[in-house]
Amino acid sequence: MNTTSCDSNINIAVILAGGVGSRLGCPTPKQFLKVAGKTVIEHTIDVFDNNSLIDEIAIVIHPSYMDDIEGIVARNQWKKVKRILKGGNERYMSSVSAIEAYKGHGNCNMIFHDAVRPLVSDRIIKDVVEALKKYDAVDVAVPATDTIMAVEKNGAFIDNIPNRKLLRREQTPQAFKYDVVAKAYEKALKDPDFVSTDDCGTVVKYMPHIKIYVVEGDESNIKLTHKEDLFLLDKLFQLRSTTLNDKTDLGDSKD
């Protein structure tokens, strides 16, 4: 595959698809499950491949499923998919794989997105890319609607109830200038106690001087985690399709 020579104006979408779906309790990794006529990962890559602000796509996949993703890429003939990379057993290893792949290619924009969030919108991607023009790190989140409690170590008693107005639920994409996310992981990997659940968390801990701007997410930008989420995704795709058809009909009626 051909690759782009990166600079600060190049937007690289990194599709994180290294999971094997253990929490879903299914032998097939959740990114390869079908919903609304396609696999979940196909829906996700379609969004980024069709977005005019994205210059290149890299897919990070578990080594056991390299053949599967290569077949999907060949079938779809996406124009922007330039790299298929091997991920690791932990999520952060997939991010590190992408960072290593673009080492020496300049301070490009790295836009990390969960393969199992297929309903990410063009509006979110646009807002993230625009924010990267001003900030070195960008997250996507929605307000917390439930009251969140912190519990004591044994989990049996409430320790604290934070102010809900200050709480957000993280989504993806999470985006960074290459130098920032690369340096954060360089420091993290030297820490024997390093634990990571997401890329922004790594930057917060190891590059605390970097301000992370928060872009407004969308409630439909859900992550496929449990079996019930498949039904919800299907309904959301149906709703989106109906909305698009309605807009098309309205457009036709004006002619």
Side-chain angles (χ1 to χ4, degrees), residues 181-215:
V181 71
K183 187 65 175 178
Y185 273 108
E186 179 185 341
K187 291 182 176 181
L189 294 175
K190 293 177 182 177
D191 180 0
D193 298 320
F194 171 52
V195 177
S196 173
T197 57
D198 74 317
D199 303 305
C200 279
T202 302
V203 171
V204 165
K205 183 171 182 178
Y206 296 98
M207 301 282 281
H209 62 285
I210 298 293
K211 290 286 188 179
I212 302 178
Y213 182 77
V214 181
V215 162

Side-chain angles (χ1 to χ4, degrees), residues 11-17 44-45 48 54 56-61 83 85 91 93-99 101-102 108-115 172-176 178 181 199:
N11 298 310
I12 311 297
V14 179
I15 308 301
L16 301 171
T44 302
I45 296 174
F48 286 91
I54 299 300
E56 182 172 326
I57 298 171
I59 304 169
V60 190
I61 195 78
R83 299 175 188 255
L85 308 169
R91 184 192 184 280
M93 294 178 182
S94 293
S95 297
V96 171
S97 179
I99 292 167
Y102 287 96
C108 51
N109 297 326
M110 303 289 287
I111 302 168
F112 297 90
H113 186 69
D114 296 325
T172 63
Q174 294 183 350
F176 314 88
Y178 178 89
V181 71
D199 303 305

Side-chain angles (χ1 to χ4, degrees), residues 13-31:
V14 179
I15 308 301
L16 301 171
V20 293
S22 57
R23 277 186 292 177
L24 198 67
C26 179
T28 301
K30 52 192 176 182
Q31 59 268 30

Side-chain angles (χ1 to χ4, degrees), residues 14-181:
V14 179
I15 308 301
L16 301 171
V20 293
S22 57
R23 277 186 292 177
L24 198 67
C26 179
T28 301
K30 52 192 176 182
Q31 59 268 30
F32 295 121
L33 296 176
K34 281 199 170 183
V35 62
K38 295 182 180 181
T39 62
V40 172
I41 194 171
E42 284 178 290
H43 285 294
T44 302
I45 296 174
D46 276 344
V47 177
F48 286 91
D49 197 66
N50 292 325
N51 189 289
S52 62
L53 298 176
I54 299 300
D55 299 295
E56 182 172 326
I57 298 171
I59 304 169
V60 190
I61 195 78
H62 191 279
S64 300
Y65 297 96
M66 289 291 287
D67 290 343
D68 298 83
I69 197 63
E70 286 173 356
I72 288 174
V73 170
R75 182 171 71 244
N76 284 274
Q77 296 185 327
W78 290 302
K79 296 178 180 179
K80 296 178 183 178
V81 176
K82 304 298 182 182
R83 299 175 188 255
I84 300 176
L85 308 169
K86 292 182 180 179
N89 293 328
E90 301 292 336
R91 184 192 184 280
Y92 78 86
M93 294 178 182
S94 293
S95 297
V96 171
S97 179
I99 292 167
E100 286 295 318
Y102 287 96
K103 187 176 182 179
H105 289 274
N107 197 25
C108 51
N109 297 326
M110 303 289 287
I111 302 168
F112 297 90
H113 186 69
D114 296 325
V116 289
R117 288 188 189 270
L119 282 165
V120 61
S121 66
D122 284 326
R123 191 274 302 168
I124 289 176
I125 296 172
K126 175 181 177 294
D127 288 352
V128 167
V129 171
E130 285 298 314
L132 278 173
K133 294 178 180 178
K134 186 175 181 181
Y135 304 99
D136 291 332
V138 180
D139 203 351
V140 173
V142 293
T145 54
D146 295 324
T147 296
I148 306 297
M149 66 175 70
V151 297
E152 295 179 356
K153 287 184 178 181
N154 61 13
F157 300 97
I158 294 176
D159 179 63
N160 181 35
I161 298 180
N163 185 345
R164 189 171 67 188
K165 292 181 180 179
L166 302 178
L167 299 177
R168 299 291 185 271
R169 291 180 285 123
E170 278 189 314
Q171 299 182 340
T172 63
Q174 294 183 350
F176 314 88
K177 293 297 183 184
Y178 178 89
D179 289 351
V180 167
V181 71

